[in-house]
Amino acid sequence: MATPSREVTSIAGGSARRALERRDLLTRWALILPAGLVLVGLMLLPMLLMALMSWLEPGSFGGVRWGHYTPEAYIKFLFDRNLDDSLSLNTDYLSIFSRSFGLAFITMLITLLIGFPVSLYIALQTPRRRQWLIFLVTIPFWTNLLVRTYAWILLLRNGGLIESGLKQMGLLQGSLDLLYTPIAVQIGLVYAFLPFMVLPIYTSLEKLDWRLLEAAFDLYANRWKALWRVVLPLAAPGVIAGCILVFVPALGTYYIPELLGGAKSLMIGNLIQQQFGASRDWPFGAALSFALLALVLLFMLIYALRFRGKGSLL
Amino acid sequence: MVYGEGSERVRALDRISLEIGHNEFFTLLGPSGCGKTTLLRLIAGFEQPTEGSIRLYGQPLEGLPPYRRPVNTVFQSYALFPHLSVAQNIAFGLEMLGKPRAEIAQVVREMLGLVKLVGYENRRPAQLSGGQQQRVALARALANRPKVLLLDESLSALDLKLRKEMQLELKRLHAETGITFVFVTHDQEEALTMSDRIAVMQEGRIAQVGTPTEIYDAPNSRYVADFIGETNFLKARARGGVLLLPDGSSLPTPVHTPDGEVTLAIRPERARLSADGSGISARVKDVVYKGTDTIYLLELPGQEPFQVRSQNRLGALQLVRPGDPVGLELPPEAVRVLKE
């Protein structure tokens, strides 16, 4: 009696397990579905649409002429079409790209130079103070960046706080003339992206085993050598993550140069915006976006190949 | 050495006076919190003394940062650099000293041989076992030929078998390198096995300094006697050159003892059960057979429990059962009188 009944339960157990596995699989798919829908619907499809647009002719009043395919948008990026249909090199757009790369790169360097010591300082405090300081770093996120950028106009403009302050101290005669220059854009970028450098570096420094620093001191490394040979290599993942988090968004910034920069400090983001706005050349705007995307991916690829297998980004 | 501020001030080390000889294997022994690691960190330079001075071959060390002291440490956690290979770890100190490459390579090879890790030079610390990491930490410190090597509970993270191996290994390295070793441990057996001299520490002070034999045979306080090995304590009264026990029996004093209350310390292996019931009368509470030894747990009137450890030599087996009355013999040279 006992043996057959045990067999029955084991068979039942097997099918029950299979049913459970099936349900497990279903649950898994159901859980992935919302995120998948968001990714496909809000990222993949729009990007495919943009890719398609970049190969179409522009409509006279914005939009595109569906079905009229042309590589003109990509040609326009590098060349001017003369009256006789010959092409001559046009570096205007390239110079905007290189300026954007320059501004983004300098932003990355400055935020790194400020952000690393700040993170190091915070990481060396007591846990209580650390929490406080990190909280202070995140306070700017409470206000919209657009509002904070407007605040910079008030600070930087002629007759603004900085100018009058410098005049009061007797450090400046005449006007400051800082607003609507590339330097104003640079200041705005550094201000906006500094927290994105501090937070990942702090995260990697916080995890650092400070006993290693003692070991370095014990082995004749002075403070600088210990920083250079032990702290920096171990904080490298955070430094790299911070650099990416600053460089990539800084490259595509739109309203900081829009508000703080003049005609000579146009960045890629503004150029793209213009194509979809005043210039009514959607295909060119789409092509510019893809040129930017391709360049960013290229940098990420170089990074990934360089640091392959050396731990995750964060 | 005072720590903390205001009401939280703690005196971590107090009235420490020590002289450690050239090429000595010196051990700081004590329970956790006794200040032995603080003392080590003072020598290494990670802490600065609030009072007093530390001298190395006559040169005062106060105010010198750790990286200017010809002293290296083997950390309890090893603190190997995870981003560097074994060879790079060992080379670190010499590189910081700006030694030429060829010399560094030579020393690294030598050190790998010394700690028996040839073939592991390109591994990362994470790819090594605990014992191997320990060897790398030793090699990294010894590569700089420090005047003093500090070892902070360096063996306590290893399992028993590996620890025994590393104890012998350390003794060998000490003999081969001729460097002064200052070793910190809470393991009394380890201290006895390895040291030339031991300082037993108690709450920031040094309770006793001496060779392992001196510390074991002639502890100067109940604390030391209790911390090192096992010890029986008997209450007694000294009067006129005789030690009187509460049950009326008496023992001759081994050394001159002024009259008054004293505590006697007797090692379990130095006491004997008498064959004929003579000596101090006691009752057997328990008999524990341990292979090489048998331990007799005795009850003495008005005293703490008393242990007798006797070796199980051929024919020496005594037929004693729990509950039996026995006589306890204490040879005068086995009795250590502690003033208390």
Side-chain angles (χ1 to χ4, degrees):
Chain A
M1 267 309 278
T3 319
S5 85
R6 200 175 297 140
E7 260 171 33
V8 169
T9 48
S10 83
I11 289 164
S15 67
R17 202 177 309 125
R18 249 170 278 135
L20 256 172
E21 273 167 17
R22 217 176 301 131
R23 258 189 41 199
D24 209 41
L25 209 65
L26 262 169
T27 319
R28 233 179 273 172
W29 277 105
L31 285 172
I32 293 171
L33 198 66
L37 279 178
V38 168
L39 275 179
V40 171
L42 298 180
M43 200 181 105
L44 202 60
L45 284 180
M47 274 180 69
L48 286 173
L49 194 64
M50 289 281 280
L52 182 66
M53 269 188 193
S54 69
W55 293 97
L56 289 170
E57 284 178 16
S60 312
F61 305 101
V64 289
R65 298 177 66 195
W66 296 102
H68 295 78
Y69 294 99
T70 168
E72 197 61 29
Y74 289 97
I75 293 170
K76 195 174 169 184
F77 180 55
L78 290 173
F79 302 103
D80 263 343
R81 197 172 284 280
N82 299 325
L83 287 174
D84 59 355
D85 239 21
S86 65
L87 296 171
S88 57
L89 196 66
N90 173 6
T91 56
D92 288 358
Y93 300 126
L94 275 182
S95 74
I96 292 175
F97 261 64
S98 67
R99 179 195 298 142
S100 299
F101 271 88
L103 282 168
F105 190 74
I106 292 169
T107 306
M108 185 182 89
L109 282 184
I110 297 176
T111 51
L112 181 60
L113 284 176
I114 302 172
F116 191 84
V118 168
S119 312
L120 190 60
Y121 173 80
I122 298 174
L124 287 170
Q125 302 303 306
T126 60
R128 224 191 145 87
R129 272 178 66 99
R130 264 187 255 163
Q131 276 183 3
W132 251 107
L133 291 167
I134 282 301
F135 170 72
L136 289 179
V137 169
T138 56
I139 275 188
F141 293 130
W142 294 17
T143 318
N144 188 296
L145 182 57
L146 192 60
V147 177
R148 286 183 279 138
T149 311
Y150 272 113
W152 273 104
I153 295 180
L154 298 178
L155 289 171
L156 293 172
R157 70 174 181 195
N158 286 342
L161 223 59
I162 291 175
E163 194 196 67
S164 53
L166 287 174
K167 275 183 176 166
Q168 293 253 309
M169 285 188 283
L171 293 170
L172 183 79
Q173 271 117 33
S175 58
L176 189 63
D177 290 329
L178 200 57
L179 193 60
Y180 310 125
T181 64
I183 294 175
V185 177
Q186 189 64 73
I187 292 172
L189 286 172
V190 168
Y191 164 76
F193 289 104
L194 190 56
F196 296 98
M197 186 62 90
V198 171
L199 293 175
I201 295 179
Y202 167 74
T203 309
S204 64
L205 284 177
E206 192 207 11
K207 283 184 290 192
L208 201 124
D209 181 357
W210 295 102
R211 288 175 297 189
L212 295 176
L213 205 62
E214 273 190 354
F217 289 149
D218 191 66
L219 293 162
Y220 314 117
N222 59 28
R223 284 158 181 277
W224 279 110
K225 281 180 181 165
L227 184 72
W228 198 248
R229 292 288 306 270
V230 177
V231 178
L232 209 59
L234 291 172
V239 171
I240 290 160
C243 286
I244 290 171
L245 283 179
V246 169
F247 182 76
V248 174
L251 197 57
T253 334
Y254 156 63
Y255 49 78
I256 291 172
E258 181 79 14
L259 294 178
L260 301 180
K264 291 218 172 119
S265 35
L266 207 66
M267 287 179 73
I268 306 173
N270 309 89
L271 188 62
I272 293 170
Q273 188 270 337
Q274 278 180 10
Q275 305 314 312
F276 287 97
S279 304
R280 288 185 191 150
D281 194 346
W282 290 24
F284 188 44
L288 286 171
S289 307
F290 272 91
L292 178 60
L293 185 66
L295 280 168
V296 169
L297 287 179
L298 187 73
F299 276 102
M300 299 287 277
L301 191 72
I302 291 168
Y303 158 74
L305 289 176
R306 170 78 180 74
F307 292 95
R308 185 161 38 187
K310 289 197 181 171
S312 59
L313 279 185
L314 269 171
Chain B
M1 184 71 204
V2 183
Y3 268 121
E5 287 165 13
S7 60
E8 285 173 21
R9 280 165 77 90
V10 171
R11 193 170 279 271
L13 292 175
D14 193 17
R15 277 174 273 165
I16 302 264
S17 177
L18 268 180
E19 204 160 321
I20 298 171
H22 174 70
N23 192 18
E24 198 172 12
F25 197 125
F26 192 89
T27 298
L28 299 168
L29 175 67
S32 59
C34 72
K36 56 194 192 298
T37 295
T38 308
L39 190 53
L40 203 72
R41 290 174 62 82
L42 279 169
I43 303 172
F46 299 128
E47 316 273 352
Q48 295 292 334
T50 43
E51 301 160 43
S53 97
I54 304 166
R55 262 187 280 253
L56 183 67
Y57 294 99
Q59 181 206 1
L61 290 180
E62 293 89 60
L64 280 185
Y67 49 86
R68 295 238 180 81
R69 296 184 183 206
V71 165
N72 288 111
T73 310
V74 178
F75 294 87
Q76 185 171 13
S77 62
Y78 313 146
L80 298 177
F81 302 122
H83 59 296
L84 300 180
S85 69
V86 167
Q88 287 169 322
N89 262 287
I90 297 173
F92 193 92
L94 295 169
E95 274 178 32
M96 292 300 121
L97 290 173
K99 292 278 190 309
R101 272 169 187 279
E103 189 192 325
I104 295 175
Q106 166 71 26
V107 173
V108 168
R109 261 198 308 280
E110 234 172 75
M111 286 299 138
L112 284 166
L114 193 67
V115 298
K116 298 172 184 158
L117 278 177
V118 177
Y120 287 86
E121 36 276 83
N122 294 321
R123 298 254 192 123
R124 295 276 163 137
Q127 294 168 302
L128 301 176
S129 70
Q132 289 166 338
Q133 289 183 21
Q134 165 81 68
R135 285 159 202 266
V136 177
L138 267 166
R140 185 177 71 171
L142 287 171
N144 313 294
R145 296 230 129 238
K147 289 201 171 127
V148 180
L149 183 75
L150 306 173
L151 299 113
D152 184 8
E153 303 251 4
S154 301
L155 303 183
S156 58
L158 303 176
D159 61 54
L160 188 67
K161 188 165 171 289
L162 208 52
R163 194 154 73 222
K164 298 268 179 219
E165 274 175 41
M166 282 309 293
Q167 284 176 4
L168 298 176
E169 196 86 334
L170 269 183
K171 288 274 287 187
R172 176 180 68 86
L173 287 173
H174 177 244
E176 281 179 26
T177 56
I179 290 170
T180 308
F181 279 32
V182 179
F183 185 76
V184 156
T185 184
H186 61 262
D187 184 335
Q188 45 102 5
E189 198 198 325
E190 201 164 271
L192 292 174
T193 314
M194 301 171 60
S195 321
D196 292 326
R197 279 197 307 153
I198 299 170
V200 184
M201 294 189 63
Q202 174 186 19
E203 289 164 11
R205 294 187 195 176
I206 288 173
Q208 190 174 1
V209 186
T211 63
T213 325
E214 283 166 3
I215 299 267
Y216 189 82
D217 287 349
N220 65 1
S221 66
R222 185 174 174 137
Y223 173 81
V224 175
D226 208 15
F227 195 76
I228 312 275
E230 285 176 73
T231 310
N232 297 298
F233 296 104
L234 290 177
K235 278 182 289 198
R237 178 190 292 273
R239 192 191 293 155
V242 181
L243 297 167
L244 298 167
L245 289 158
D247 69 336
S249 52
S250 66
L251 296 164
T253 47
V255 287
H256 173 72
T257 311
D259 290 358
E261 296 286 330
V262 291
T263 300
L264 311 179
I266 303 111
R267 298 288 182 191
E269 73 276 15
R270 296 192 183 161
R272 278 197 303 266
L273 297 185
S274 61
D276 54 359
S278 63
I280 304 158
S281 56
R283 185 173 291 278
V284 178
K285 203 177 168 212
D286 211 347
V287 180
V288 183
Y289 180 74
K290 291 217 166 187
T292 54
D293 305 305
T294 301
I295 295 177
Y296 301 95
L297 281 165
L298 308 181
E299 272 178 329
L300 274 73
Q303 301 283 9
E304 295 169 38
F306 197 101
Q307 273 190 28
V308 176
R309 177 187 286 264
S310 96
Q311 246 187 14
N312 293 329
R313 278 179 298 233
L314 269 177
L317 211 62
Q318 280 171 289
L319 280 171
V320 179
R321 287 192 194 81
D324 289 353
V326 288
L328 176 63
E329 260 184 293
L330 303 175
E333 62 275 17
V335 177
R336 174 89 184 153
V337 182
L338 304 174
K339 29 190 190 309
E340 215 172 354

